[in-house]
Amino acid sequence: MLSVRLDEETERQLADILAYEQTDKSELIRRLIGERWLTLQAGKTLIERRGGHPEHLLQDAPTDLSERSNRKKAIAQYLNKRHP
């Protein structure tokens, strides 16, 4: 539950927005918060938005995985070991 105190002018503006949008207060507030949250997220990288790098992802990984052929070999070995 959320309670907000608005002055008269802001209350009139809210009423105008609600009439124009044809929605209720709760839906409007949810949408505004969602839009604002997305705006704040826009400055973050994908990794930051997803919560950072998994800590175990590159643990014990060979240093030459930046080469595509090495990555393909490593993935093939992993899959063969996991699904013989």
Side-chain angles (χ1 to χ4, degrees), residues 65 68 70-81:
L65 282 184
R68 185 173 190 213
N70 294 337
R71 281 194 314 272
K72 286 179 79 171
K73 265 191 257 177
I75 292 169
Q77 289 171 351
Y78 172 80
L79 291 174
N80 286 332
K81 187 189 297 182

Side-chain angles (χ1 to χ4, degrees), residues 56-74:
H56 66 280
L57 181 64
L58 298 176
Q59 185 178 353
D60 302 327
T63 57
D64 60 351
L65 282 184
S66 61
E67 300 283 331
R68 185 173 190 213
S69 60
N70 294 337
R71 281 194 314 272
K72 286 179 79 171
K73 265 191 257 177

Side-chain angles (χ1 to χ4, degrees), residues 21 28-41:
E21 299 281 332
L28 178 63
I29 290 171
R30 277 193 295 274
R31 199 162 11 112
L32 290 172
I33 290 172
E35 289 171 5
R36 178 66 175 144
W37 186 82
L38 287 174
T39 301
L40 292 173
Q41 297 300 306

